[in-house]
Amino acid sequence: MAIPPHLPESRLPPDVVLPQGTPAAPWSCPVRAVLWLQRAPSPLPSSSPFAGRVRALAVGALVDYLESPVGPYREVLVGQQLRGALPLVVHVPFIAVDSPASVAAGREHWSLPKTLADFDGDLATGDGWSVRVTPRAYGLRFPVRAPLGLDQGSGRATTRLRGTARLARVEVEVQGLTIGPWLGSGTRHGLVVQGRLTVPAPSAR
């Protein structure tokens, strides 16, 4: 499925050929993740159908999929909270992975604008952009159950993360034409999580 690249960082290189026939939802995957909250001071580009429909609250994540229907892979993403949506529902304008099969599945089944990235430790890099996520966890581990709505314009899906977590201070360093000024760099409040992430197919709103 073709996804309009409303952010230049989401464009796929023209020579990339994605696999066909990727596994459909639901996906249920063991994960390790760093999650954080922050303000997103810049609006989405006017070319996005969600421009003007999001709040200034952003949810970021660096995720290790230990297993998945397309094998292990890594992912970095940022979503913004939709206005008037309860419980929390986000729109994801930027998401990058190191798996062409995950790119294909995300675009086909969830309308996610996945692009390709290289990951080295806490650093993700793509064509003209980079995101470094360095967590410093503290305190005792506690159980977490976190439903989160996802809306990409083709329906809504409620993802569910179940596992254990620790509080964390998360240093985020962002560079890029759009995501750089949009997210900026700094220390965020977040979680370091280990558990299972379930992502169903979108349903009508």
Side-chain angles (χ1 to χ4, degrees), residues 73-106:
Y73 66 93
R74 303 191 74 192
E75 177 176 274
V76 63
L77 67 90
V78 179
Q80 277 190 273
Q81 182 186 10
L82 290 180
R83 296 182 183 275
L86 292 174
L88 183 63
V89 178
V90 299
H91 169 66
V92 175
F94 173 74
I95 178 170
V97 298
D98 60 359
S99 162
S102 177
V103 171

Side-chain angles (χ1 to χ4, degrees), residues 33-61:
V34 180
L35 311 175
W36 72 91
L37 293 174
Q38 69 169 84
R39 288 184 58 81
S42 300
L44 290 175
S46 58
S47 60
S48 169
F50 285 83
R53 297 176 55 190
V54 294
R55 296 184 181 275
L57 176 67
V59 179

Side-chain angles (χ1 to χ4, degrees), residues 50 59 77 79-82 85-92 110 112 146-153 155-161 197-200 202-203 205:
F50 285 83
V59 179
L77 67 90
Q80 277 190 273
Q81 182 186 10
L82 290 180
L86 292 174
L88 183 63
V89 178
V90 299
H91 169 66
V92 175
W110 293 282
L112 287 163
L148 181 65
L150 171 67
D151 192 334
Q152 297 299 112
R156 285 186 181 170
T158 300
T159 65
R160 299 187 182 278
L161 176 61
L197 180 67
T198 301
V199 187
S203 59
R205 291 189 293 272

Side-chain angles (χ1 to χ4, degrees), residues 23 74 142 174 188-189 191:
R74 303 191 74 192
F142 56 90
V174 184
R188 321 301 187 192
H189 296 292
L191 298 173

